[in-house]
Amino acid sequence: MPDHLLYGVAYYYEYLPYDRMEQDFQMMEKAGINTIRIAESTWSTWEPKDGVFDFTYLHRVLEAAARHHLSVIIGTPTYAIPSWLAKKCPDILVETHRGPSRYGARQIFDITHPGFLYHCERIIRRLLEEVRDYDCVIGFQIDNETKHYDTCSPRAQALFREWLKERFPTPQELNQEMGFAYWSNSIADYDDLPDVRGTINASFAGEYSAFQRHLVTEYLLWQRKLVDEYRRPDQFVTHNFDFEWRLYSFGFQPDVDQYEAAEAVTIAGCDIYHKSESHLTGAEIAFGGSITRNLKNDNYLVLETEAQGNFGWLPYPGQLRLQAFAHLASGADGVSYWHWHSIHNSAESYWKGLLSHDFSEGAVYQEACVIGNEMKRLSPKLLHLKKENKVAILAGNRSQTAFKWFPTSQMGERPELDYSDYLRWVCDACYELNLEYDILNDTARDFGRYDVLILPVLYAADESLIQAIDSYVKKGGHVIATFRSCFADSYLKIYPDAQPHGLTACFGVTYDRFTKPENVSLASDTVALPEHTNVSQWMELLSPMGAETLCTYDHPEWGGIPAVTRNHYGEGEAVYLGCYFDKEGLKALFRTLFPDFGLTVPSLSFPVILRTGTNQEGHKIRYYLNFSGTEQTVPVETSGGTELFSETPVAEGQTLTLPAWGVNIIEEQ
């Protein structure tokens, strides 16, 4: 773990149109930037020909970094292969569901290919030998935003066959679990296993997706072992995990089991990109941080985020600073921009860095100077912020795969929303109410430290998870489950009994009818819903078995049928949401439920975001973040303390004035 806040940039000396390294590093020092990340994109620079190595640029950068008091994170340069390697081993290029790849882009190789792994190991070892004697190197990033790249090569499918044999000793067992009798897909011998690219079977395809995700874990663990042979005990290993991409970091990553893959690192890292200008909400910062923080149950590093970023993301004055401290408020120990300077060639020329193409000390750089020097001064107070959230949200890749095969749409219809939309529906409602949350993997079984456990569209749940949920509620926990939860097992095989499987007593409700709602809204005498709360995408017609009805459907035919129920079970309570409805309605429901569950819903809500934690001195830290373009006045709800930027005392009941896109931080006494 770092002993101070890291404020950094990715630095690509080899991309510069002319030599200006000394000037760059002087500008970094002025800005309070203390860390650079290098080397992850530069295989063809270090090895321009097969077996011919040239680390001249590397040593120049490291020697200059040391002179300018910059720490360095070394990336293994394996996510973009040189052209000579593609020519030497053409079948390194990945074969996917869409067919063979062509050389040019990054991440287009088969991570199981022996030739690829051989050349990876050679360049990694040579690189690590070159950097091992530099004290300024504080850690290593293994690979870069790694995925399985949808490898469907004969080699990968042969490995998958062995994966299946370990789990299903006989073809007959596989037939039964996968439901291969459907459309005559049963096999008598494992040699008859079909190509996964033609399957119509969600269970079989889902298991291949799980296998592909495990390939990523194995690949990162393999790189970690190589790095461990060279690194000092004080040097960390990280990886920049990213998120489902919708032109920005939106959802749960489908191509990596990040919770499993995090075994390969000593400190978790992530890349979080988001819209800015009038679209900046901070929701992606909170969402990505809630996942990354729980990969190692510890602080993490933001290894990439935007400075100016994509076209249309030029930050308003104050937004760069707000974003940086929002990351720290979620538990980050460092924030780094991709990247230092805007690139003058190739695909990402208009994904702008901290400096524009003219390298001038522009407005964005000047704001970074403020941030960097504030972080330097406040590092002892803000480093290693510990979060003790009381709301847990459960997420899982197998449920995500299920929604790819069985979306909330008619067969053949393009789905409007998918798994990550429903996950974000719950997460964003909590975020806007200032109910801080952790995102746990569905392999978690101990929920005892949380007051509330939320299960958004937890479609795939095995028996041990269902038993853990049941036990949690019996012992006094509070669970909120949405529609389509606990419907199938981990192989996406639908349970053949009353839904939600194994939890009808817990929730006090069941159903056997569901449909796509049209012109349906929610009604309630219990929940202060907005005037019209629209129901869309999916609705289940619930039949209570002892549960209290909180909301019903308002519709000529379905009117009066329960839509949301609440049930006392053991020492706890279980709430079931049988439909998807407007986020404002969900927030109204949470405002009703959470106080009864022992959690205070803060008086502040979006656009003022309140984040809390405990610093390494044992003091409570409160971040007040204004995600709006208007000034906000907020009450201080503490027993007193110090506002850290101004170093002025504050007292309970006093008000704070947050400027547009502003931030205040209070350290309680």
Side-chain angles (χ1 to χ4, degrees):
M1 299 289 287
D3 61 3
H4 59 276
L5 291 174
L6 303 184
Y7 189 49
V9 290
Y11 186 67
Y12 303 111
Y13 178 74
E14 61 280 2
Y15 294 176
L16 289 168
Y18 60 91
D19 186 357
R20 49 169 288 118
M21 184 164 49
E22 284 295 323
Q23 184 178 350
D24 284 335
F25 287 1
Q26 289 170 8
M27 291 176 68
M28 289 181 197
E29 282 192 287
K30 177 181 175 181
I33 289 170
N34 56 32
T35 306
I36 58 173
R37 191 190 67 166
I38 67 171
E40 89 281 359
S41 298
T42 51
W43 190 339
S44 66
T45 302
W46 311 143
E47 191 178 6
K49 295 182 179 180
D50 187 4
V52 176
F53 300 93
D54 183 354
F55 293 101
T56 304
Y57 288 165
L58 175 68
H59 291 292
R60 287 191 63 189
V61 172
L62 290 172
E63 289 163 7
R67 289 196 304 273
H68 289 277
H69 315 290
L70 292 169
S71 298
V72 182
I73 299 171
I74 299 290
T76 59
T78 47
Y79 87 116
I81 62 173
S83 60
W84 60 257
L85 181 54
K87 185 176 181 180
K88 179 180 181 180
C89 305
D91 60 339
I92 278 179
L93 298 179
V94 66
E95 187 175 348
T96 73
H97 278 84
R98 297 174 300 280
S101 300
R102 295 287 183 269
Y103 181 79
R106 62 183 182 176
Q107 300 172 319
I108 52 167
F109 41 77
D110 184 344
I111 61 173
T112 72
H113 191 288
F116 172 68
L117 296 174
Y118 167 80
H119 289 89
C120 280
E121 179 170 355
R122 187 172 70 178
I123 188 62
I124 290 171
R125 288 189 181 278
R126 287 299 305 268
L127 175 64
L128 295 177
E129 287 169 0
E130 299 290 330
V131 306
R132 68 190 311 172
D133 295 328
Y134 286 92
D135 292 337
C136 61
V137 176
I138 60 170
F140 300 91
Q141 176 189 298
I142 48 177
D143 207 71
N144 183 82
E145 296 182 343
T146 310
K147 317 288 190 307
H148 53 68
Y149 314 129
D150 192 31
T151 177
C152 295
S153 67
R155 179 186 311 99
Q157 295 203 47
L159 293 171
F160 177 53
R161 186 160 52 246
E162 298 307 310
W163 160 283
L164 291 175
K165 287 179 180 179
E166 291 178 8
R167 288 153 179 78
F168 308 100
T170 67
Q172 290 71 32
E173 292 175 76
L174 180 68
N175 289 335
Q176 178 62 28
E177 195 60 61
M178 298 291 118
F180 273 165
Y182 183 77
W183 282 1
S184 195
N185 279 189
S186 297
I187 62 171
D189 190 285
Y190 267 107
D191 289 338
D192 297 331
L193 200 68
D195 190 308
V196 296
R197 290 172 291 186
T199 190
I200 46 79
N201 187 294
S203 298
F204 185 51
E207 194 60 17
Y208 189 69
S209 294
F211 163 76
Q212 288 179 311
R213 290 190 292 269
H214 187 68
L215 290 178
V216 178
T217 299
E218 290 185 328
Y219 176 65
L220 292 178
L221 283 169
W222 173 77
Q223 287 216 15
R224 163 69 186 275
K225 289 178 181 178
L226 292 177
V227 172
D228 279 350
E229 293 183 35
Y230 296 85
R231 72 181 179 101
R232 303 186 306 265
D234 63 307
Q235 292 173 316
F236 59 76
V237 180
T238 190
H239 177 74
N240 54 334
F241 293 104
D242 64 346
F243 305 94
E244 181 194 338
W245 186 252
R246 299 190 185 179
L247 299 181
Y248 63 101
S249 305
F250 180 82
F252 200 63
Q253 174 55 250
D255 295 334
V256 186
D257 183 341
Q258 296 182 340
Y259 296 84
E260 178 189 70
E263 182 185 349
V265 301
T266 63
I267 180 171
C270 66
D271 295 350
I272 299 177
Y273 293 99
H274 49 81
K275 298 178 181 179
S276 56
E277 301 185 9
S278 61
H279 300 285
L280 178 64
T281 67
E284 288 77 29
I285 293 173
F287 177 81
S290 293
I291 291 174
T292 313
R293 187 176 60 246
N294 286 282
L295 298 184
K296 303 291 287 187
N297 295 311
D298 209 342
N299 301 100
Y300 60 95
L301 301 175
V302 179
L303 293 161
E304 291 185 23
T305 191
E306 74 235 32
Q308 300 181 69
N310 203 356
F311 179 67
W313 290 5
L314 180 66
Y316 292 158
Q319 285 189 339
L320 196 72
R321 180 171 177 262
L322 175 63
Q323 293 162 197
F325 285 100
H327 286 297
L328 301 186
S330 284
D333 272 348
V335 177
S336 291
Y337 299 117
W338 198 92
H339 42 105
W340 170 243
H341 64 90
S342 298
I343 296 173
H344 297 74
N345 299 89
S346 204
E348 293 171 318
S349 295
Y350 283 87
W351 194 286
K352 292 184 67 179
L354 199 60
L355 303 185
S356 291
H357 293 101
D358 63 357
F359 299 105
S360 66
E361 294 189 7
V364 178
Y365 168 79
Q366 292 171 22
E367 191 165 322
C369 291
V370 175
I371 300 165
N373 287 288
E374 285 177 334
M375 282 193 181
K376 182 178 180 179
R377 177 169 63 87
L378 298 179
S379 182
K381 301 288 187 183
L382 305 183
L383 183 69
H384 303 333
L385 186 75
K386 299 304 178 188
K387 314 283 288 185
E388 294 183 2
N389 297 332
K390 293 301 180 182
V391 178
I393 297 174
L394 215 58
N397 286 122
R398 289 181 181 266
S399 293
Q400 185 175 35
T401 300
F403 269 71
K404 178 181 177 181
W405 280 83
F406 306 120
T408 50
S409 60
Q410 296 176 349
M411 289 185 67
E413 178 187 43
R414 185 182 181 88
E416 296 177 44
L417 304 178
D418 69 9
Y419 178 83
S420 286
D421 291 290
Y422 297 122
L423 178 60
R424 283 288 301 269
W425 175 55
V426 170
C427 291
D428 290 358
C430 288
Y431 172 74
E432 292 180 14
L433 291 172
N434 282 316
L435 296 166
E436 295 197 68
Y437 60 87
D438 292 340
I439 298 180
L440 307 182
N441 194 24
D442 63 4
T443 56
R445 296 294 180 268
D446 182 6
F447 312 117
R449 78 180 187 90
Y450 295 100
D451 292 337
V452 180
L453 173 66
I454 307 180
L455 316 176
V457 290
L458 189 69
Y459 185 91
D462 65 20
E463 295 290 357
S464 68
L465 177 54
I466 287 167
Q467 291 167 11
I469 294 166
D470 186 90
S471 176
Y472 166 76
V473 180
K474 277 182 179 176
K475 293 177 181 179
H478 307 92
V479 68
I480 301 172
T482 78
F483 53 96
R484 303 195 83 189
S485 288
C486 305
F487 198 79
D489 65 16
S490 57
Y491 297 117
L492 312 188
K493 186 176 184 177
I494 297 172
Y495 288 114
D497 59 354
Q499 299 290 353
H501 170 72
L503 293 170
T504 53
C506 177
F507 286 101
V509 73
T510 190
Y511 66 93
D512 64 359
R513 295 182 296 167
F514 48 81
T515 189
K516 187 177 183 67
E518 293 184 14
N519 301 316
V520 181
S521 59
L522 280 189
S524 178
D525 295 327
T526 306
V527 180
L529 294 169
E531 184 175 351
H532 182 82
T533 300
N534 183 55
V535 177
S536 64
Q537 308 302 320
W538 185 274
M539 62 182 289
E540 297 162 357
L541 308 183
L542 303 182
S543 298
M545 300 162 39
E548 169 194 1
T549 297
L550 295 181
C551 302
T552 60
Y553 295 117
D554 185 2
H555 183 266
E557 300 297 334
W558 312 126
I561 293 177
V564 178
T565 61
R566 178 177 182 176
N567 190 50
H568 292 273
Y569 182 66
E571 299 297 318
E573 291 187 69
V575 175
Y576 191 85
L577 283 56
C579 58
Y580 175 75
F581 48 94
D582 297 339
K583 184 172 61 176
E584 291 303 314
L586 184 61
K587 288 160 65 175
L589 180 64
F590 285 172
R591 287 191 187 99
T592 298
L593 294 173
F594 277 74
D596 292 348
F597 294 166
L599 287 177
T600 301
V601 178
S603 59
L604 294 174
S605 61
F606 183 82
V608 177
I609 294 299
L610 174 63
R611 310 269 92 179
T612 64
T614 303
N615 69 10
Q616 57 189 341
E617 298 172 353
H619 298 160
K620 189 74 167 286
I621 297 291
R622 289 176 177 262
Y623 285 81
Y624 293 85
L625 307 157
N626 179 13
F627 284 95
S628 79
T630 37
E631 182 178 279
Q632 303 286 331
T633 301
V634 299
V636 175
E637 299 175 346
T638 72
S639 57
T642 302
E643 201 290 310
L644 293 179
F645 291 121
S646 62
E647 299 183 329
T648 58
V650 293
E652 186 175 7
Q654 182 179 334
T655 59
L656 289 175
T657 299
L658 295 170
W661 313 109
V663 54
N664 281 140
I665 308 173
I666 293 177
E667 180 184 31
E668 293 187 11
Q669 294 174 349

